[in-house]
Amino acid sequence: MRVSVDVGYGYTKGLASGRAVSFPSVVRPAQTADIGVGARPRGYMVSVRRDGEADLYEVGELALVMGGRRSWETRAASRPDYAILALTAMRLAGAAGGVDLGVGLPLELYLSREEREALKARLTGLEGFVSVDDAPEAVIRVDRVRVFPQGAAAYSAAVAGEPALVRGTVGVVDVGYRTTDYLVMVPRGEGAIPDRSRLGSVQVGVGEAFEAVAKAVGRERATMLSSAAVERAVLTRTPLRLWGETVDLAAALQREYDRLGQEVAEHLRRVWEDALPDMAALLVCGGGGVALYPRLAELTPVARLVPEPVTANAAGYSVLLAQAEAVR
Ligand SMILES: Nc1ncnc2c1ncn2[C@@H]1O[C@H](COP(=O)(O)OP(=O)(O)OP(=O)(O)O)[C@@H](O)[C@H]1O
Ligand SMILES: [Mg+2]
């Protein structure tokens, strides 16, 4: 079966047969399973059994709550947690048996053949009996891996729903947790190609907003507040409780989103300059795209938030996987 997995610095997204999943990209070896004071924790406790040996990991929200950290390794193929994140995403999306896997790299890395091959080599043949929480175990075996460019993949997903897009110049900005990737697709023949002089990445992501708000609120109340706690409050839309008090984060978050959105918009104004007036559409995607959209929309009247911003790249891998198989 075809499965798409988009491993970001912030979140891992998975997509198979229309089922989409997303969880924080955090893994740590399980340390909470046997404290013996109650039920096994969930969300997620992941077991991977290979050669008769089972390894147990805390993944996603559970790992984050337990103090696990995100990997800041820039090379996907060198990320120690990549395989576990990918297996968890595949299992949660309902994968079982042989898998044709689609994954992605930031466009700048994707342009290096070495990076693409390294990631492919790392994942091809990956296999194990995987179970998540109380769900039944399933064997997953990665038979084939295709690597796609992030951002450009989100563009392909948009084109699949709106074929006329290929006839115009289209900007894409993918706002993530740590980085923001951007590119411009220009029509060429029957399709479109990225304009190499107008693509890149800025070290801006919404993770910074959570950090800044945690620091500011902590300072105000002379206490320690983790950015993970702020992030959880945002994602679950539950008010933050601090020393028995409810803290409203909305205003502080909005200030940070505005500041970051402004920063990205200024950068794009500089690098895109004369391409902006030519654009038929500017597609804003990525989980952070939602938060920064109001500022990015000031760049051009043709800006729009794609329908499923968080899983836009994963959706693109699925489109590109299907196309690759059709021509095989
Ligand atoms: N509706 C929303 N409003 C604000 N933030 C959101 C929303 N939905 C998701 N996010 C945030 O978006 C961020 C994740 O975005 P995304 O999954 O695109 O990043 P990533 O791909 O992991 O990061 P990177 O591209 O830097 O590797 C998370 O920090 C999440 O909290
Ligand atoms: Mg991303």
Side-chain angles (χ1 to χ4, degrees), residues 232-283:
R232 200 157 50 244
V234 171
L235 286 186
T236 58
R237 294 197 180 85
T238 44
L240 183 84
R241 302 278 300 171
L242 209 54
W243 298 107
E245 252 185 86
T246 300
V247 185
D248 188 1
L249 300 174
L253 275 168
Q254 200 48 58
R255 258 197 313 277
E256 287 305 315
Y257 291 159
D258 259 9
R259 186 179 65 77
L260 296 171
Q262 190 69 41
E263 198 176 327
V264 175
E266 266 165 32
H267 184 86
L268 292 178
R269 244 179 229 117
R270 228 174 16 251
V271 294
W272 280 353
E273 265 191 323
D274 48 319
L276 274 169
D278 281 346
M279 280 180 195
L282 169 58
L283 307 176

Side-chain angles (χ1 to χ4, degrees), residues 15-32:
L15 194 61
S17 319
R19 196 200 296 188
V21 299
S22 155
F23 55 88
S25 298
V26 189
V27 173
R28 48 175 243 159
Q31 290 158 30
T32 46

Side-chain angles (χ1 to χ4, degrees), residues 154-209:
Y155 168 82
S156 299
V159 168
E162 191 182 334
L165 273 179
V166 286
R167 292 203 293 271
T169 297
V170 175
V172 181
V173 53
D174 176 6
V175 186
Y177 184 85
R178 182 189 183 192
T179 56
T180 294
D181 295 314
Y182 55 88
L183 61 131
V184 176
M185 299 294 291
V186 289
R188 170 70 59 87
E190 297 286 284
I193 55 164
D195 175 346
R196 288 216 182 193
S197 66
R198 296 187 196 277
L199 61 87
S201 188
V202 260
Q203 295 296 308
V204 175
V206 287
E208 267 180 72

Side-chain angles (χ1 to χ4, degrees), residues 78-324:
S78 310
R79 269 182 82 143
D81 54 354
Y82 201 113
I84 302 304
L85 292 171
L87 285 171
T88 304
M90 285 188 266
R91 185 69 198 104
L92 285 169
V99 165
D100 276 357
L101 181 63
V103 293
L105 282 173
L107 191 48
E108 278 174 313
L109 286 183
Y110 175 86
L111 294 174
S112 147
R113 187 188 168 81
E114 194 191 333
E115 293 292 334
R116 295 197 302 270
E117 291 304 321
L119 184 57
K120 211 176 196 176
R122 170 89 198 275
L123 298 173
T124 306
L126 179 67
E127 145 172 66
F129 289 87
V130 184
S131 78
V132 179
D133 292 337
D134 299 330
E137 181 181 81
V139 67
I140 292 177
R141 191 186 61 246
V142 178
D143 292 329
R144 195 168 25 237
V145 178
R146 287 181 199 274
V147 181
F148 302 113
Q150 289 168 0
Y155 168 82
S156 299
V159 168
E162 191 182 334
L165 273 179
V166 286
R167 292 203 293 271
T169 297
V170 175
V172 181
V173 53
D174 176 6
V175 186
Y177 184 85
R178 182 189 183 192
T179 56
T180 294
D181 295 314
Y182 55 88
L183 61 131
V184 176
M185 299 294 291
V186 289
R188 170 70 59 87
E190 297 286 284
I193 55 164
D195 175 346
R196 288 216 182 193
S197 66
R198 296 187 196 277
L199 61 87
S201 188
V202 260
Q203 295 296 308
V204 175
V206 287
E208 267 180 72
F210 306 143
E211 295 271 351
V213 169
K215 265 205 196 111
V217 173
R219 208 179 311 118
E220 231 166 69
R221 301 183 181 239
T223 189
M224 289 283 283
L225 178 62
S226 72
S227 66
V230 171
E231 182 177 351
R232 200 157 50 244
V234 171
L235 286 186
T236 58
R237 294 197 180 85
T238 44
L240 183 84
R241 302 278 300 171
L242 209 54
W243 298 107
E245 252 185 86
T246 300
V247 185
D248 188 1
L249 300 174
L253 275 168
Q254 200 48 58
R255 258 197 313 277
E256 287 305 315
Y257 291 159
D258 259 9
R259 186 179 65 77
L260 296 171
Q262 190 69 41
E263 198 176 327
V264 175
E266 266 165 32
H267 184 86
L268 292 178
R269 244 179 229 117
R270 228 174 16 251
V271 294
W272 280 353
E273 265 191 323
D274 48 319
L276 274 169
D278 281 346
M279 280 180 195
L282 169 58
L283 307 176
V284 180
C285 59
V290 184
L292 271 47
Y293 181 72
R295 285 292 171 180
L296 298 174
E298 290 169 1
L299 282 169
T300 160
V302 298
R304 50 172 136 142
L305 196 60
V306 304
E308 301 285 345
V310 178
T311 46
N313 277 309
Y317 307 157
S318 298
V319 167
L320 294 166
L321 269 179
Q323 283 172 5

